[in-house]
Amino acid sequence: MPRSALPAPLSTRPFSRREAVRLGVTLDRLRGDGLFVPYWGVRSPRPPASTVERARCLLPLLRDDEFFSHVTALQLWGLPLPRRRELESLHVAATVSRQRRRAGVAGHRAQEGTPRSRVEGCPVAAPVEAWVQAATILGLDELVQVGDALAGSWSPHPEARELPIETLSAAVAVARQRTRPGRALLSGALSLIRPGVVSPRETSLRLLIVRHGLPEPEINVARRTRDGRWLGTPDLSYGREKIAVEYEGDHHRSDRGQWRRDIERSARFLDDGWAYHRVTDDHLAAPQAGAFLARLARDLRDRG
C-alpha cells in the first residue's frame, strides 16, 4: 500500500511529532518508511548532512529561551572550524529552561541578556559571544583562526565579518571581569589575531613562522615593482626583504586555470628579485616544516 502524503507544511522540512499529530498525521505514518528520526520527537524528510541541517532538525524542539551557542553558533555563522567539529554534539544554551539532556545535544546555562541573533533560520548566540563561549572547547589556534575570521571577511553573514579588533578586545575584557571560563585562553588568542587574513591555513602558516622566532610577516599586502607594475598579493610577505610566502591548497593543483595563474605570479615575483616560497599542507608539520622555516630564515638573514 502506498504511504500517505505528508501535509504540505511538513513535506520539505523537519517537524516535531506533536506538530504532525496536530495536522492529522497518523502514528503509523510517522513510524513508516521515508522519514528520518534525527532526534527523539522529530521527523525529517531527509537525513541531515551538515551542522546547519542538524540544527534545523532540532529547531522544532527548542523552547523560547533556548538558542544555539558555543561551537555550533560559530558554525552557523559560517566561521572556520576543523571538519571534525561537524560530527560533535550541537550546543544549546538556555536562560530559563533546564539544561538539555538529549542524545547529540550539549546543554549550557546562559545569562539573561546574552547577545543573540538569528542566522540560517535558527536562534544563535551573537558571533563574538559565541567566540567567547567556545573558549571552553577550542584550542588556542582554533580561537585565533575564528578571531582572524571575525576580523576578516570569511563569513557570508555581515554580523560576523570585518569586526574591529577593539570589539573582540572589549569582549575579552568583559570575560576577564566576569571571570568567565577560558578567559586566559581568549587573552592569548587576542594577541595573535590579525585583520586581513583570508583562510585558516594562512593563520596556521603565520603562527608557525612567528613561533619559530622569525619576524611576523605582513598579511595580504599588494606588491608592485618600483616602477608601479603589479606583481600580486602574497598571503604573507616581507616588503623590505622582498620575500613572499604563498599557501597553496589542493585547488591550486586541481584547478588548471589557478595552476597557470600561480606559475605566472611566481614568475613575476622572481623576475623582480623576490624570494618566493610556495607552501602546502605538508609544510605545516614536521619534517617539511623544519626545512621550510630554515629556508625562510636563511632568506631573511641574507636579505636583511
Side-chain angles (χ1 to χ4, degrees):
M1 178 182 296
R3 62 175 183 264
S4 58
L6 292 170
L10 310 182
S11 61
T12 58
R13 62 169 174 82
F15 54 89
S16 68
R17 179 177 178 273
R18 179 178 299 179
E19 180 185 12
V21 170
R22 188 173 69 246
L23 292 175
V25 180
T26 66
L27 295 181
D28 284 344
R29 177 66 182 93
L30 292 175
R31 288 191 289 262
D33 295 337
L35 289 177
F36 299 89
V37 187
Y39 301 99
W40 188 88
V42 174
R43 301 294 187 272
S44 176
R46 62 179 183 275
S50 66
T51 297
V52 172
E53 292 183 6
R54 287 196 295 138
R56 286 174 177 159
C57 285
L58 188 62
L59 192 57
L61 301 180
L62 290 191
R63 294 169 287 222
D64 290 343
D65 67 310
E66 290 182 315
F67 55 95
F68 295 104
S69 63
H70 296 70
V71 173
T72 303
L74 296 177
Q75 291 171 309
L76 293 174
W77 284 114
L79 296 166
L81 289 169
R83 191 175 297 275
R84 69 179 186 278
R85 299 290 180 188
E86 286 280 342
L87 305 177
E88 296 179 355
S89 296
L90 296 181
H91 293 266
V92 175
T95 58
V96 179
S97 305
R98 295 178 61 184
Q99 288 179 262
R100 283 284 175 179
R101 295 288 187 271
R102 184 182 294 275
V105 179
H108 303 272
R109 173 67 62 198
Q111 291 184 335
E112 285 280 4
T114 297
R116 287 186 261 175
S117 186
R118 292 191 74 86
V119 66
E120 302 290 354
C122 301
V124 294
V128 176
E129 172 65 21
W131 178 66
V132 171
Q133 293 170 344
T136 60
I137 299 170
L138 301 179
L140 176 62
D141 286 12
E142 291 174 317
L143 283 173
V144 176
Q145 287 177 343
V146 174
D148 279 354
L150 288 168
S153 55
W154 302 1
S155 172
H157 307 288
E159 289 179 74
R161 55 188 287 138
E162 298 176 356
L163 302 181
I165 296 293
E166 291 76 16
T167 299
L168 302 181
S169 180
V172 173
V174 171
R176 288 198 204 105
Q177 183 181 11
R178 296 179 179 174
T179 63
R180 292 184 63 167
R183 58 191 179 278
L185 203 58
L186 284 167
S187 296
L190 181 65
S191 68
L192 297 169
I193 292 169
R194 302 290 182 270
V197 182
V198 298
S199 83
R201 290 305 191 187
E202 282 185 26
T203 300
S204 298
L205 181 57
R206 173 170 53 86
L207 295 179
L208 175 71
I209 291 170
V210 171
R211 285 169 179 163
H212 192 65
L214 298 178
E216 183 167 342
E218 297 176 275
I219 300 167
N220 289 301
V221 175
R223 300 299 184 183
R224 296 181 179 274
T225 63
R226 287 191 175 183
D227 60 1
R229 287 180 292 112
W230 183 76
L231 295 172
T233 305
D235 297 330
L236 305 172
S237 59
Y238 302 88
R240 185 171 67 86
E241 295 85 357
K242 296 184 74 170
I243 300 171
V245 182
E246 287 279 10
Y247 176 79
E248 297 185 0
D250 265 358
H251 74 282
H252 289 261
R253 172 188 57 80
S254 58
D255 185 322
R256 186 175 180 83
Q258 183 65 58
W259 174 64
R260 289 177 169 176
R261 290 191 294 273
D262 291 342
I263 291 175
E264 288 301 317
R265 182 174 58 248
S266 64
R268 289 194 300 271
F269 276 95
L270 292 171
D271 286 346
D272 194 51
W274 286 68
Y276 196 83
H277 296 262
R278 301 175 72 178
V279 178
T280 68
D281 250 355
D282 291 340
H283 297 94
L284 298 179
Q288 288 91 335
F292 156 65
L293 291 167
R295 290 192 297 271
L296 181 59
R298 180 197 63 213
D299 282 343
L300 284 165
R301 182 183 64 246
D302 293 348
R303 291 166 174 264

